[in-house]
Amino acid sequence: IYRYRAQAAVVPLSTLSFILNSIVRFFVPATLPFIVASMRIDLFRGSLLITAYWIGYTAFQIPGGFLSDLYGTAAINKISLFLLAALFALLYFSIEDYTAVFLIQLFMGSVSAVIYISDAALVQKWNAREKRSAALGVYQSGFFVGASFGEYFAISSYIVSKSLPFLILIPILLIAASMNALLMRDPELTDRKISISKKVVFPAVLRFSAGFAYIGFLAMFSSILSYKFHVPEDSIFLYSWVPAVLGILSSPLGGFASARMKNGRLILAVFPVIAISIAMLVIIDVNFWPAILISSSLGFFYGIYAGPSMSMASDVSASDASISSSSSILNLSSQAGGMISPAIMGYAYSASDSFGTGILAICIVSTALALLSAFYLKRSGIT
């Protein structure tokens, strides 16, 4: 009974967890123009609040993966979601204090990393290898729900009252954590060998290139709306959700399609990353409405990429006992990119009053790394 209950619960509960995790992740980036004004700091210092989250998120990828493999993926997942609720509640009491927000962002990033890794591992462990790309595609759709509607919710409710998003979200986090505590289980594994192939570097480079472009751009999008396109602060919520919303549809699509195409995972993991870089360059050079329209393609392309790229964790693991660890390396690479690029964009704007130079550099590096990884993934047979 417990086994079938856990198997039925893992994808929907993990997806709900990812939605909430993403709302928390993008809460400070979405409301950054308000925070910058309230704290009376410049955009570069504000962008460091985003970077603080990614520092914690990046630093805890590997430890989170190994802790999950050693002590039980489900147990670590349950503890982490309760911790996230507590930290988000603490943010409510500290939202005006720069140092406190920086430190809370650092710790929330650390806990969020462990939640993502343990959820992604459970989704893979409870599904047969040939179904993992599709299952991960469904799971990854939670990111786009949180990053699109979650940003809309964060900004619109924050405009009404600084307390409102916290009063709504904290109880939901506690309910989700309680559901995880009741229903999440680890499957029984016949092979408990923990080992990761050196080939993990190839999908890791690909994941870095995607995070460096898309995640960084998404984190700074509300600031781009405010500083480049001069959208009034009380109207930012009308557009902030656009670069993520189509990923809700494309993420499951990419997962299912990759399983039915020859070399499907390689094709659907690499080419969308290049398309994201091209779209970013166009967005920064056009007027407001074309930029909004083109920005919708970013979530679509990232959604296509997400499931196929993450399922490569199974190819570099000696057994399912290593899934958390290999997943942590792949996600570490992605989030390392997302950690660096907001600071590059914030610095570029503070130095030159333009995002263009920073985004150009990011897109060139992202495209070059995606092509390099494609070559070695093909040679190593991870297709």
Side-chain angles (χ1 to χ4, degrees), residues 10-349:
V10 66
V11 172
L13 277 183
S14 294
T15 304
L16 173 61
S17 176
F18 206 175
I19 291 171
L20 297 172
N21 206 359
S22 298
I23 295 174
V24 170
R25 174 189 299 187
F26 288 106
F27 183 82
V28 168
T31 58
L32 189 60
F34 307 98
I35 293 172
V36 165
S38 177
M39 292 182 178
R40 297 179 182 177
I41 56 177
D42 62 20
L43 182 58
F44 177 60
R45 287 191 71 199
S47 71
L48 293 180
L49 295 176
I50 301 173
T51 297
Y53 180 95
W54 293 120
I55 290 172
Y57 199 91
T58 302
F60 263 76
Q61 292 292 321
I62 304 295
F66 280 97
L67 284 172
S68 295
D69 283 336
L70 288 173
Y71 298 108
T73 309
I76 296 297
N77 180 267
K78 295 170 187 178
I79 295 169
S80 300
L81 199 52
F82 277 113
L83 285 174
L84 185 68
L87 286 166
F88 192 68
L90 187 60
L91 183 64
Y92 168 65
F93 296 103
S94 310
I95 198 63
E96 299 288 339
D97 186 325
Y98 182 87
T99 302
V101 173
F102 186 94
L103 292 174
I104 291 168
Q105 281 281 95
L106 189 69
F107 289 122
M108 282 204 303
S110 303
V111 172
S112 294
V114 182
I115 292 171
Y116 176 84
I117 291 304
S118 54
D119 274 332
L122 285 167
V123 168
Q124 292 178 82
K125 288 179 179 181
W126 278 107
N127 283 276
R129 187 174 288 260
E130 66 275 9
K131 297 181 179 179
R132 288 177 180 176
S133 182
L136 283 168
V138 174
Y139 165 63
Q140 290 278 166
S141 68
F143 168 83
F144 300 101
V145 175
S148 56
F149 295 113
E151 284 208 16
Y152 180 92
F153 158 76
I155 300 173
S156 58
S157 58
Y158 195 84
I159 290 170
V160 175
S161 167
K162 292 181 180 179
S163 303
L164 186 58
F166 296 97
L167 294 176
I168 294 173
L169 193 57
I170 291 168
I172 297 174
L173 280 163
L174 290 172
I175 291 169
S178 299
M179 292 171 65
N180 270 23
L182 290 171
L183 297 173
M184 282 295 197
R185 298 286 187 277
D186 280 301
E188 294 183 7
L189 301 177
T190 55
D191 187 349
R192 296 187 173 276
K193 182 181 179 183
I194 298 178
S195 179
I196 302 171
S197 167
K198 293 179 181 179
K199 293 179 181 180
V200 72
V201 69
F202 308 140
V205 169
L206 175 62
R207 297 276 301 181
F208 179 92
S209 69
F212 193 58
Y214 177 74
I215 293 177
F217 188 89
L218 187 62
M220 291 295 288
F221 190 64
S222 63
S223 297
I224 291 170
L225 289 172
S226 178
Y227 289 92
K228 174 178 170 55
F229 295 111
H230 308 294
V231 176
E233 290 181 354
D234 61 357
S235 300
I236 289 174
F237 72 93
L238 294 171
Y239 313 104
S240 61
W241 52 273
V242 173
V245 68
L246 289 184
I248 299 170
L249 300 175
S250 63
S251 184
L253 177 64
F256 284 105
S258 67
R260 289 163 172 77
M261 294 171 55
K262 182 179 180 181
N263 299 328
R265 287 186 306 160
L266 178 62
I267 293 169
L268 295 181
V270 173
F271 284 101
V273 178
I274 299 170
I276 286 169
S277 292
I278 294 170
M280 283 171 55
L281 291 174
V282 175
I283 288 168
I284 213 66
D285 269 339
V286 297
N287 294 327
F288 176 71
W289 284 113
I292 293 297
L293 180 62
I294 296 167
S295 71
S296 67
S297 70
L298 298 181
F300 179 83
F301 289 128
Y302 196 82
I304 293 290
Y305 142 93
S309 66
M310 198 64 195
S311 69
M312 293 175 182
S314 298
D315 295 77
V316 297
S317 299
S319 73
D320 282 358
S322 306
I323 286 287
S324 296
S325 302
S326 56
S327 296
S328 72
I329 294 173
L330 296 192
N331 206 47
L332 164 67
S333 306
S334 180
Q335 308 318 317
M339 176 185 72
I340 297 167
S341 52
I344 293 174
M345 283 181 260
Y347 177 78
Y349 186 87

